[in-house]
Amino acid sequence: MTAASTESDAKRDKTLSRWLFNPFYYLAGVKAMAIGIVIILISGVLAFFGNSRFDGLLDFHTAPVRSPFWHCLSDGIISWLLLSTLLLVAGKIISKSSVRVIDVFGTQALARAPYLFLALASVIPGVASRALRFGMSIAANQAVFDGFSMDILAFSFIIIITIAMTIWMIILMYRAFAVSCNVSGSRAISAFIVSLLIGELVSKIILFQLSGL
Amino acid sequence: MAQKTLPTICPSCQGILKVQRLTCTSCGTSVEGSYNLPILGQLSGDDQDFILKLIRASGSLKELAGLYGISYPTVRNRLDSLIEKIALIKEKIEKQED
């Protein structure tokens, strides 16, 4: 292997890792916002058909009954607007750079992309309903663990993909905050965590008020 | 052959290097003294290239972002870190002169 090919491999790996964990290096502003809003809306439509809800900043739940279409559609939009507003305020306070509103809102919209995969998983026939059935049997202390079953498989799949996509989304949200506000270090991490916690709490209250969850 | 880069930091003590001799390329006449390198000359090649491109883009960060294929805030953040670097170099020079 030549030094040049090793260098180009390293460069390609760096580019791929940037697109996965910091796409805002390449994409921000209006473009990121347009792509992000489309992704949020598609996720909402898929959640409706998959009997699911993104009922909070970092929440995903499946239900036995389908929620009204506009509830599914507005979940992502409300969460996005809320966190972007909180991070914009935090950025204005701690950043020494000039912070553009369009960059904060645009990058945060794009940061919600991992939940599209979660919404896609929920519309795979039988997955959400089997996972829900097994989850409810655990809650009622009636779960039967007798080796392999499709219900356990579906439940495990939904749990694993939910955790993985949520972690990925939090990483993207932080990177979006860091790039759009030019912040880093412990102050940035603290401001992000506080904004996320406030956002989660307030989003729950807003969505509860709107849909009576 | 790799292009030579101008060393700006002393490899021995990390102090700022100064220009001691300048030579005319056509007649070979040399001038000796102690001259500071210009601040821009003390930046890395990448940083100098960034500044040149910014000037060519008439100072438009948006245009520069398109030129590099990166986002506007990434370009602005790089410019902010360059401003910080320049301030640090200036501070170092002032300290050495005192």
Side-chain angles (χ1 to χ4, degrees), chain A residues 24-25 97-98 100 179-180 182, chain B residues 70-72 74 76-77 80:
Chain A
F24 322 108
Y25 182 86
S97 284
S98 60
R100 294 197 315 173
V179 170
S180 62
N182 194 16
Chain B
I70 55 180
S71 70
Y72 177 93
T74 307
R76 190 210 52 217
N77 297 349
D80 284 345

Side-chain angles (χ1 to χ4, degrees), chain A residues 33-49 54 69-78 80-81 109-110 112-113 115-116 119-120:
Chain A
M33 190 189 278
I35 298 169
I37 289 174
V38 169
I39 287 172
I40 291 170
L41 293 178
I42 293 173
S43 304
V45 172
L46 290 173
F48 171 75
F49 287 111
F54 292 104
F69 183 65
W70 77 269
H71 286 176
C72 296
L73 217 54
S74 59
D75 285 346
I77 296 288
I78 289 167
W80 159 58
L81 289 175
L110 190 58
R112 295 195 68 82
Y115 269 10
L116 175 65
L120 278 168

Side-chain angles (χ1 to χ4, degrees), chain A residues 46-55 59-67 72 75 118-124 126-136 154-155 157-159 161-162 213:
Chain A
L46 290 173
F48 171 75
F49 287 111
N51 287 8
S52 308
R53 292 282 305 267
F54 292 104
D55 52 343
D59 295 72
F60 172 73
H61 293 106
T62 52
V65 284
R66 187 169 282 175
S67 301
C72 296
D75 285 346
L118 210 48
L120 278 168
S122 76
V123 289
I124 299 172
V127 169
S129 57
R130 282 177 184 278
L132 182 69
R133 190 165 58 205
F134 189 74
M136 285 173 90
F155 183 75
F157 173 69
I158 287 290
I159 292 289
I161 199 168
T162 302
L213 281 173

Side-chain angles (χ1 to χ4, degrees), chain A residues 54-201:
Chain A
F54 292 104
D55 52 343
L57 207 64
L58 302 170
D59 295 72
F60 172 73
H61 293 106
T62 52
V65 284
R66 187 169 282 175
S67 301
F69 183 65
W70 77 269
H71 286 176
C72 296
L73 217 54
S74 59
D75 285 346
I77 296 288
I78 289 167
S79 298
W80 159 58
L81 289 175
L82 185 62
L83 185 65
S84 302
T85 307
L86 289 167
L87 290 175
L88 178 68
V89 174
K92 291 262 185 202
I93 294 169
I94 65 168
S95 178
K96 288 174 191 164
S97 284
S98 60
V99 178
R100 294 197 315 173
V101 176
I102 188 75
D103 286 331
V104 178
F105 279 73
T107 53
Q108 287 301 325
L110 190 58
R112 295 195 68 82
Y115 269 10
L116 175 65
F117 297 102
L118 210 48
L120 278 168
S122 76
V123 289
I124 299 172
V127 169
S129 57
R130 282 177 184 278
L132 182 69
R133 190 165 58 205
F134 189 74
M136 285 173 90
S137 68
I138 291 175
N141 273 331
Q142 291 167 354
V144 182
F145 297 92
D146 54 351
F148 176 82
S149 86
M150 287 306 283
D151 286 7
I152 294 176
L153 193 69
F155 183 75
S156 309
F157 173 69
I158 287 290
I159 292 289
I160 290 168
I161 199 168
T162 302
I163 293 169
M165 292 303 117
T166 303
I167 291 170
W168 186 16
M169 190 172 76
I170 292 172
I171 292 170
L172 287 180
M173 283 170 166
Y174 175 71
R175 292 305 315 162
F177 174 53
V179 170
S180 62
C181 299
N182 194 16
V183 289
S184 61
S186 55
R187 266 164 72 89
I189 293 171
S190 309
F192 177 73
I193 291 171
V194 170
S195 303
L196 208 60
L197 291 176
I198 295 173
E200 175 66 17
L201 188 74

Side-chain angles (χ1 to χ4, degrees), chain A residues 1-8:
Chain A
M1 193 185 277
T2 63
S5 73
T6 312
E7 201 175 301
S8 75

Side-chain angles (χ1 to χ4, degrees), chain B residues 42-75:
Chain B
Q42 296 186 40
L43 295 169
S44 70
D46 275 356
D47 287 344
Q48 288 180 27
D49 184 56
F50 179 85
I51 291 169
L52 284 176
K53 282 188 173 135
L54 180 63
I55 292 166
R56 277 196 217 118
S58 305
S60 164
L61 294 184
K62 206 174 167 184
E63 204 175 302
L64 199 59
L67 207 66
Y68 275 104
I70 55 180
S71 70
Y72 177 93
T74 307
V75 170

